Amino acid sequence: MVFVTKPHSENFSYARTSNNVSKLFSGIPLVDLTKPDSKQLIVKACEEYGFFKIINHGVPMDFITRLESEAIKFFSMPLSEKEKAGPPNPLGYGNKHIGKNGDVGGVEYLLLTTNTESNSQRFLSVFGNNPEEFCSALNDYISAVKKMACEILELMAEGLKIQPRNVLSKLLMDEQSDSYFRLNHYPLCPELQGLSSASARNVIGFGEHTDPQIISVLRSNNTSGLQISLGDGSWISVPPDQNSFFINVGDSLQVLTNGRFQSVRHRVLANGLKSRVSMIYFGGPPLSEKIAPLQSVMNGEEESLYEEFTWFEYKKSACSSRLADNRLGHFERIAAS
């Protein structure tokens, strides 16, 4: 489902790249959660890309379509109505400005907690006394996606041969888990309308970054725009698939695996043909959780590549940085010379 809103006419940011990336990459790792080799494929994908696609995920399609429909209703509202759910501090409705450190993009968004009651209160001002449809769709979706994320983390643990099986998933299942949910809408980009793909410029919808949490679960409509960075610094475009999910390794998971898994740098480019709607669950640990490489992942005399930190400390550091900054750089151990 795609809808059209009035294009933005403000200044744009441009992607820094030596060539215009237009071809969709067909080599994205694919994992079928119903297959017995899924845990090995997940580990391989996390080591090589920090990113993979999930099929046969078990999330009811009705949950997906209901939330997308509610998101479209919200983003189709007049700006004055949407702003009742803002300003983002950091939760709430935001438009173009991403965070408080100068990052901008062709995106409007809702950043929400995964706490049911908190979200209901926020949307009373937007939907009057009847936020139930939006909140019901939101809660059903988050519950199902969280369950899938935990299943994936347990398959990771099995693939890494570490015990207990829930060593990672328990961080998301904890009642104090600091997890978030984001709805993004990328309107048509007026600067790209009428241009061929060969002459179009790479206009930023959401700037390059890694996710600070443990795991991110992304789903979008069938509009292209998502790109990931490979180890050599080149960018590849991810073919959209509205029936599947994409998984990002986050910075915290990179640390927990002592760098064996790499958090994936990614970005979204604006589209001149169709608007894009995406939904992302960010699975995070409790604020007090200490993040350090798991001993069960370390081999023999292997040393930790990172200083121990709490999720609160890392979150605070991430919030004070720009999107493209190497946030983990502040916590890396300097090897003795």
Side-chain angles (χ1 to χ4, degrees):
M1 187 181 298
V2 176
F3 66 111
V4 178
T5 58
K6 184 178 179 181
H8 297 310
S9 57
E10 295 189 357
N11 294 332
F12 299 96
S13 298
Y14 297 93
R16 293 175 294 176
T17 181
S18 57
N19 63 317
N20 200 19
V21 183
S22 58
K23 292 184 178 180
L24 295 176
F25 182 67
S26 60
I28 299 297
L30 179 66
V31 177
D32 183 339
L33 286 186
T34 65
K35 300 293 185 182
D37 64 349
S38 58
K39 54 181 176 289
Q40 290 87 2
L41 293 177
I42 287 172
V43 169
K44 187 172 187 290
C46 290
E47 291 174 340
E48 295 182 357
Y49 292 92
F51 182 85
F52 54 96
K53 176 178 172 177
I54 289 289
I55 61 172
N56 290 326
H57 43 71
V59 177
M61 287 306 299
D62 176 59
F63 288 5
I64 298 171
T65 54
R66 278 177 56 217
L67 183 57
E68 181 174 299
S69 176
E70 291 298 323
I72 288 171
K73 288 180 190 177
F74 174 82
F75 288 122
S76 297
M77 287 181 173
L79 181 61
S80 59
E81 291 298 307
K82 291 183 285 192
E83 286 180 335
K84 291 179 181 179
N89 191 30
L91 302 177
Y93 172 77
N95 189 6
K96 303 184 187 72
H97 298 281
I98 305 167
K100 297 183 177 181
N101 303 304
D103 290 294
V104 295
V107 64
E108 59 176 342
Y109 61 88
L110 274 171
L111 182 61
L112 306 168
T113 178
T114 54
N115 180 284
T116 303
E117 186 175 337
S118 174
N119 290 330
S120 296
Q121 290 299 315
R122 179 174 298 279
F123 288 105
L124 279 173
S125 59
V126 179
F127 298 105
N129 293 321
N130 190 28
E132 284 83 5
E133 284 189 27
F134 183 95
C135 292
S136 173
L138 181 69
N139 295 336
D140 285 347
Y141 181 91
I142 289 176
S143 177
V145 169
K146 176 182 176 180
K147 180 181 177 183
M148 177 184 63
C150 289
E151 179 184 356
I152 291 169
L153 290 173
E154 290 177 1
L155 288 170
M156 282 182 189
E158 286 185 9
L160 290 168
K161 296 180 172 59
I162 57 177
Q163 292 292 335
R165 186 175 188 264
N166 70 341
V167 66
L168 299 172
S169 64
K170 69 180 181 181
L171 301 176
L172 274 57
M173 293 302 296
D174 193 297
E175 288 185 0
Q176 302 301 315
S177 168
D178 187 47
S179 297
Y180 288 88
F181 187 73
R182 189 180 189 104
L183 290 167
N184 289 331
H185 169 228
Y186 301 90
L188 297 183
C189 177
E191 183 161 308
L192 298 179
Q193 289 181 290
L195 296 178
S196 68
S197 59
S199 58
R201 304 173 72 181
N202 285 330
V203 180
I204 287 294
F206 205 111
E208 64 176 89
H209 64 286
T210 59
D211 295 335
Q213 289 88 356
I214 295 171
I215 190 175
S216 306
V217 182
L218 163 71
R219 185 266 171 191
S220 74
N221 62 357
N222 263 352
T223 301
S224 62
L226 176 64
Q227 294 186 335
I228 64 171
S229 179
L230 301 180
D232 62 3
S234 62
W235 290 91
I236 56 173
S237 294
V238 178
D241 183 349
Q242 63 184 6
N243 298 314
S244 302
F245 289 90
F246 294 93
I247 307 299
N248 295 346
V249 170
D251 294 341
S252 296
L253 186 54
Q254 177 173 323
V255 173
L256 288 166
T257 60
N258 205 33
R260 181 169 173 181
F261 291 176
Q262 292 292 310
S263 59
V264 61
R265 185 163 288 269
H266 54 289
R267 67 187 183 188
V268 175
L269 299 186
N271 193 298
L273 298 176
K274 296 189 296 182
S275 59
R276 182 173 185 268
V277 177
S278 63
M279 311 183 282
I280 312 102
Y281 167 80
F282 300 98
L287 289 171
S288 61
E289 185 71 27
K290 293 179 180 179
I291 307 296
L294 297 169
Q295 287 299 317
S296 51
V297 173
M298 313 268 270
N299 296 320
E301 300 300 316
E302 182 181 351
E303 294 185 0
S304 172
L305 301 177
Y306 306 95
E307 300 289 347
E308 183 180 88
F309 54 84
T310 65
W311 169 237
F312 175 81
E313 291 170 334
Y314 191 63
K315 181 180 177 181
K316 182 179 179 181
S317 175
C319 288
S320 65
S321 66
R322 297 291 298 270
L323 276 177
D325 290 347
N326 175 20
R327 301 169 180 141
L328 277 179
H330 301 294
F331 300 90
E332 291 174 351
R333 284 187 171 175
I334 301 174
S337 57

